[in-house]
Amino acid sequence: MTEDPLESYLNGLRSFAERAITARGTWQIIFEFLEMELRAGNAELAALINWRQDQMTAQDRAEAAGFLTCGFFAGHSDEFRAAVYLVSLEMDRQRRAIKLRRSLERYRQSDPVFSSGAKMLGFVSKRNEMVDARELRQERRSGLLAYGTSFVKVSGLLNPEILSFVRSHAPASTQIEVRLDPDYPGGPADPPFASYTPELPIEFLKLIADVPLSRFIQTRRWAVPIPGVGATDARNFAEYFAAGLRALETTAVHDGARTEIYFEEIEDAGGIYIDMRDGGLRERTEGPVLGRMIHFDTESKASSAARDVTLIHLDLALNVYDEGASRARLTTELPQRVEASRRIH
């Protein structure tokens, strides 16, 4: 049976996305990777681009018009260069999806992160998701961590400033575990990144010190209004269309003396595009919904001031809702729960 041309194109995108991951150390932006492949005479890639060129619409050409002013892929026709731009974006979406799946997998002994020595395997959590941070030294609040004479790095899903803050303020006896990039050090890994987040000022902690716990555990839902539907302003516009933010929810579950608190920020990763036919903004329906969750529990009373609250545990998790679960999560409020398709702490 002959493969459907569109399916063949998508399979080709996935194949090149995996090659781009393998060659990650040789390029900074995805255009560089494709340019190297074309210069090497990669006929398979040229065929993908030619097929995409044949399918281009007026909207595709308008979307790619700004790209044509840059210097990439010189020597090719503008039509071919526009197709390369579209292929680049579509392939990079595949690359990010593959990287996300990899980031959510449980650790394996063969992962490059453990190449610095078998001893680190002894620091892996019982669910093979995180690593005990006691033996790791953070380099200047960045994502780079030293382990003996070797280096590992914080997962790209976690701002390294969070690790820096927790280690600076948690009691010395606190057990701290961190999610490390399973592919670093290794070719497929993105390079370590610095934290550009300003240090949280001590004045902030003083500000909330006397706020009662009850103020933090009220069940509530904040949804970013869709511009044009509700009250709009520039911030809402940016949060909805640029950042993909859909909701920030909190809920508390009481079980006897213990109270569990959940915060979840909902991000729709489907993406937004401009419809060139009428200039309107449209929402893509493909792609997962991401839930960035904070979960903690305590036996402190709801009337306790924040400074007096002792947490039994605190963790961060990334929930990924695929396909049917993604639409369900966007329309289901806490405390009702939608089972995540995949999740990692």
Side-chain angles (χ1 to χ4, degrees):
M1 181 180 293
T2 304
E3 188 176 30
D4 177 76
L6 177 58
E7 188 62 31
S8 177
Y9 173 71
L10 294 175
N11 287 337
L13 287 180
R14 282 188 283 270
S15 175
F16 276 100
E18 290 171 351
R19 290 174 66 164
I21 292 172
T22 302
R24 185 65 182 91
T26 65
W27 57 271
Q28 292 298 317
I29 59 175
I30 200 68
F31 299 142
E32 293 175 328
F33 169 72
L34 292 181
E35 196 165 55
M36 288 188 297
E37 291 290 321
L38 286 174
R39 284 176 177 171
N42 193 311
E44 183 183 356
L45 176 59
L48 282 180
I49 297 169
N50 287 328
W51 185 87
R52 187 66 178 87
Q53 180 179 333
D54 291 340
Q55 315 306 314
M56 283 200 302
T57 64
Q59 179 176 323
D60 289 334
R61 293 182 178 89
E63 183 179 347
F67 163 77
L68 299 181
T69 61
C70 77
F72 284 101
F73 310 105
H76 294 280
S77 69
D78 284 352
E79 191 82 348
F80 184 86
R81 293 175 68 217
V84 174
Y85 170 78
L86 298 171
V87 169
S88 298
L89 296 185
E90 292 160 2
M91 190 191 77
D92 207 41
R93 277 197 288 270
Q94 297 278 4
R95 184 185 70 86
R96 291 196 300 269
I98 293 169
K99 289 285 289 183
L100 179 60
R101 284 198 300 272
R102 177 73 177 119
S103 297
L104 298 171
E105 292 176 349
R106 298 182 190 274
Y107 288 129
R108 299 185 293 260
Q109 186 172 345
S110 58
D111 289 338
V113 68
F114 302 120
S115 63
S116 57
K119 183 180 178 183
M120 185 179 284
L121 286 169
F123 301 135
V124 177
S125 66
K126 63 181 179 181
R127 289 192 290 186
N128 291 334
E129 290 183 328
M130 295 185 286
V131 174
D132 192 324
R134 282 176 290 188
E135 299 292 325
L136 303 174
R137 185 181 73 255
Q138 190 170 11
E139 297 289 308
R140 300 181 182 180
R141 298 170 51 232
S142 74
L144 191 65
L145 303 174
Y147 170 65
T149 58
S150 303
F151 291 94
V152 293
K153 82 178 186 75
V154 173
S155 166
L157 301 172
L158 180 68
N159 188 322
E161 183 59 30
I162 295 176
L163 176 61
S164 176
F165 178 82
V166 170
R167 298 181 79 166
S168 299
H169 294 85
S173 60
T174 303
Q175 180 179 351
I176 300 173
E177 295 179 340
V178 64
R179 177 68 181 178
L180 300 178
D181 186 332
D183 291 325
Y184 188 89
D190 292 328
F193 58 103
S195 172
Y196 300 106
T197 307
E199 291 187 69
L200 199 59
I202 194 65
E203 288 75 14
F204 171 78
L205 298 180
K206 292 179 180 177
L207 184 66
I208 67 171
D210 295 317
V211 177
L213 175 63
S214 58
R215 294 288 300 275
F216 294 100
I217 64 176
Q218 296 172 359
T219 299
R220 68 185 71 180
R221 182 174 192 266
W222 168 77
V224 181
I226 303 174
V229 176
T232 62
D233 58 31
R235 182 185 180 89
N236 287 337
F237 190 92
E239 288 178 337
Y240 193 95
F241 286 105
L245 298 182
R246 295 297 177 266
L248 175 63
E249 300 179 87
T250 72
T251 190
V253 179
H254 305 281
D255 182 14
R258 179 174 295 194
T259 300
E260 289 192 80
I261 298 94
Y262 297 86
F263 293 77
E264 188 165 25
E265 177 189 79
I266 304 301
E267 173 188 336
D268 188 350
I272 302 294
Y273 68 96
I274 298 175
D275 190 333
M276 294 301 173
R277 291 171 296 183
D278 60 9
L281 290 162
R282 301 287 182 266
E283 185 173 1
R284 301 186 193 278
T285 56
E286 77 271 11
V289 166
L290 306 181
R292 304 178 191 279
M293 178 170 281
I294 302 173
H295 171 224
F296 62 91
D297 58 357
T298 180
E299 292 180 349
S300 299
K301 295 181 179 179
S303 59
S304 302
R307 70 167 78 246
D308 299 323
V309 173
T310 300
L311 301 184
I312 298 171
H313 107 289
L314 166 69
D315 69 55
L316 309 181
L318 184 73
N319 296 315
V320 180
Y321 304 92
D322 289 323
E323 299 177 351
S326 65
R327 297 300 108 184
R329 184 63 189 91
L330 288 174
T331 56
T332 303
E333 300 181 17
L334 293 175
Q336 299 182 68
R337 301 293 298 276
V338 174
E339 189 67 28
S341 308
R342 293 164 286 155
R343 75 191 308 260
I344 200 75
H345 284 84

